[in-house]
Amino acid sequence: MVMHAKKHVHEECNGLLVGTATDRGETHHVCVEDAVPLFHGSLGLAPMVEVALAQVAHHARKKKGMLVVGCYHANERADDTAVGLQAKRLADAVQRNATRACLLLLDNARFHQAEAGTSEPLFHCHTKDGNKWKRASTEGSQPVEAKLVPSTSPGVLAEYLKERRHLRIVDFDDHLDDPSKDWLNPEITA
């Protein structure tokens, strides 16, 4: 997620979160195990979003026994902390298939700290409350609890950024332009 945003630092970008979801009483737990970069610049046409969602959902189910549990979004401007229209559209599309989906919004104020290996969270979790996506409170019980598994070591991320691996990230947008590019990015973490 961070490497995708780092590659497209002057554009908004987004992707899907793949993992597992379980209900435990009143709380819905989401474990995010992978992130699939989708688009940079603009979100694109609705049909392309639907194609991307179907492709990622099929891959997650078939290859990993998981499902699409949410999405992530990085705003274009460093001072923009709002869940904008593009993020809402993607999150709403995900929620149509995963009713307890979460939206992780990049904290642009902390974004530059990724290269230093910060352990501070770089994303804020949002959940849908009625018709609005709202930032989940850090206090009390939440209807959705999102956990990144495996939690990527901040040192590993900092090393990847130092090695400039983020420049090799291929998102679904890139794949649509050149189908020989693999949107699953198998060589990035190899």
Side-chain angles (χ1 to χ4, degrees):
M1 295 181 290
V2 173
M3 292 195 331
H4 187 213
K6 194 72 167 167
K7 179 179 179 181
H8 300 287
V9 71
H10 298 295
E11 299 176 287
E12 62 184 315
C13 65
N14 51 53
L16 297 175
L17 305 173
V18 173
T20 59
T22 57
D23 284 314
R24 295 184 190 150
E26 298 273 323
T27 304
H28 186 75
H29 293 265
V30 173
C31 285
V32 177
E33 299 198 24
D34 199 3
V36 179
L38 289 187
F39 301 102
H40 60 275
S42 63
L43 184 57
L45 301 172
M48 292 302 100
V49 172
E50 294 302 326
V51 167
L53 275 167
Q55 290 281 332
V56 174
H58 176 75
H59 171 75
R61 206 172 32 255
K62 186 174 180 185
K63 301 286 185 194
K64 300 184 175 204
M66 293 185 264
L67 56 130
V68 175
V69 294
C71 61
Y72 69 87
H73 186 85
N75 286 321
E76 179 179 12
R77 294 187 341 266
D79 64 342
D80 189 354
T81 59
V83 176
L85 183 61
Q86 303 289 9
K88 287 177 191 172
R89 284 182 179 163
L90 180 59
D92 287 344
V94 170
Q95 195 203 26
R96 283 193 288 277
N97 297 316
T99 56
R100 299 289 189 117
C102 63
L103 163 64
L104 297 182
L105 185 67
L106 179 69
D107 183 338
N108 287 333
R110 294 184 183 154
F111 180 60
H112 66 282
Q113 297 174 1
E115 291 176 358
T118 183
S119 60
E120 291 291 319
L122 298 176
F123 286 84
H124 297 291
C125 182
H126 290 72
T127 57
K128 193 143 189 192
D129 183 11
N131 288 328
K132 295 185 180 189
W133 287 91
K134 293 184 179 178
R135 185 170 168 182
S137 170
T138 56
E139 298 176 15
S141 67
Q142 295 297 308
V144 176
E145 291 182 2
K147 179 180 178 185
L148 301 178
V149 177
S151 57
T152 304
S153 162
V156 171
L157 176 59
E159 189 64 32
Y160 283 2
L161 292 172
K162 237 182 249 175
E163 293 171 2
R164 303 179 59 79
R165 289 191 192 194
H166 62 284
L167 298 176
R168 298 192 317 245
I169 291 282
V170 174
D171 61 17
F172 202 78
D173 220 356
D174 297 325
H175 173 73
L176 291 173
D177 289 338
D178 179 357
S180 70
K181 294 181 178 179
D182 188 353
W183 54 270
L184 295 172
N185 294 292
E187 72 287 342
I188 297 298
T189 56

